[in-house]
């Protein structure tokens, strides 16, 4: 009996030691499961694998922070190419240079998640680069900064997410050093049900297009800020329909909203502050509600039936800056 108890004690001590040692099988598997659970909760999606990226990793297999890849592109390359898989890429604090020519294009389904948008910065400083990254599979970006650099690089291009859409949450597009025309975030290619939330764009008045939506529909864009951009949002393509924009701030842009195509956009709680031009709308069938800013109010009835404008002395009762005009003659 005593011999059996001694064996049990030795076994217990051995298991305790294994649980405390980093890198051992049992402890590591528990750690991996816990991080996967956190990653799944962050992304709002089920994931099939988790990879880690950190400047302090040993760049071996990305399965833990200790073995983390040191570049984001290495983690994406190692992610699953199965169309039914989704790989979570957890990014530690640091600056990550994609360092690839042209538009570095990735087809695998990935979620790239940092711990805070100011902690993890992604850029592409290659001399022949034209954007930071391009995604043609499913993608979600969260809690990272996209640095457009000091040239004419575009930021992120998302094309091909299809009916499943893309997710961009708590991302900062840092484009205030660009020297030529560029777009911070482009979403295109028949994308539906995309969601952008808590995203900030900071650009250059003469150069930066903040958000380009080209053939995007049924998407939700809310809690977004545009600062110092040539154009805050541009919507193109006749199939860009029924997108919802809520709680947007346009601050000191050359043009806030450029509506070139598409139908029935819904704008709610939009704030304009110190923009040269607030809206250029060439479509005109959108819904506007709770539009705020320091600008004159225009009253433009469809016709003048029942509208009586007094004449003669004292007719100017509304003030010299007030005018009533027909909508058909509006400028």
């Amino acid at each position: 009996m005593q011999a059996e108890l001694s064996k049990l004690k030795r076994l217990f001590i051995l298991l305790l030691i294994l649980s405390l040692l980093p890198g051992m099988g049992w402890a590591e598997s528990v750690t991996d499961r816990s991080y996967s659970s956190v990653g799944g909760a962050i992304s709002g999606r089920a994931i099939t694998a988790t990879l880690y990226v950190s400047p302090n990793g040993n760049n071996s297999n990305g399965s833990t922070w200790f073995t983390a890849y040191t570049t984001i592109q290495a983690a994406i390359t190692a992610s699953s190419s199965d169309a039914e898989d989704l790989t979570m890429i957890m990014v530690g604090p640091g600056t990550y240079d994609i360092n690839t020519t042209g538009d570095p294009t990735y087809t695998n389904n990935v979620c790239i998640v940092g711990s805070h948008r100011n902690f993890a910065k992604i850029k592409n400083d290659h001399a022949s680069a034209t954007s930071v990254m391009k995604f043609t599979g499913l993608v979600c970006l969260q809690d990272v900064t996209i640095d457009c650099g000091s040239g004419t690089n575009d930021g992120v291009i998302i094309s091909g997410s299809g009916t499943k859409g893309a997710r961009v949450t708590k991302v900062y597009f840092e484009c205030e050093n660009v020297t030529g025309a560029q777009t911070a975030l482009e979403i295109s290619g028949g994308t539906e049900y995309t969601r952008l939330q808590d995203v900030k764009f900071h650009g250059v008045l003469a150069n930066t297009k903040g958000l380009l939506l080209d053939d995007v529909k049924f998407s939700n864009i809310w809690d977004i800020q545009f600062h110092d951009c040539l154009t805050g949002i541009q919507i193109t393509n006749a199939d860009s329909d029924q997108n919802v924009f809520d709680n947007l701030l346009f601050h000191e842009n050359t043009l806030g909203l450029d509506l070139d195509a598409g139908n029935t956009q819904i704008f709610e709680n939009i704030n304009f502050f110190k923009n040269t031009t607030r809206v250029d709308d060439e479509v005109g069938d959108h819904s506007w509600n709770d539009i705020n800013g320091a600008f004159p109010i225009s009253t433009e009835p469809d016709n003048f039936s029942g509208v009586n404008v007094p004449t003669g002395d004292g007719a100017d009762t509304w003030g010299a800056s007030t005018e009533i005009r027909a909508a058909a003659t509006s400028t």
Side-chain angles (χ1 to χ4, degrees), residues 15 32 69 94 96 101 127 152 156 169 171 183 191 212 222 246 253 257 265 294 299 303 314 321 331:
L15 290 175
D32 287 348
Y69 293 112
Y96 302 90
T101 62
T152 59
V156 171
T169 307
V171 174
T183 300
T191 299
L212 172 62
W222 75 98
D246 190 2
N253 304 285
L257 280 165
Q265 319 299 341
T299 301
N303 59 69
S321 62
T331 58

Side-chain angles (χ1 to χ4, degrees), residues 39-40 42-43 47 49-52 86-90 111-113:
I42 288 174
S43 71
I47 58 172
T50 301
L51 295 174
Y52 299 91
L86 177 65
T87 302
M88 172 72 67
I89 298 175
M90 303 289 286
C111 280
I112 300 175
V113 179

Side-chain angles (χ1 to χ4, degrees), residues 175-197:
C175 304
E176 58 265 41
N177 295 314
V178 298
T179 55
Q182 57 91 219
T183 300
L185 175 60
E186 174 186 328
I187 304 177
S188 59
T191 299
E192 301 179 8
Y193 305 108
T194 284
R195 298 169 72 91
L196 272 64
Q197 182 179 11

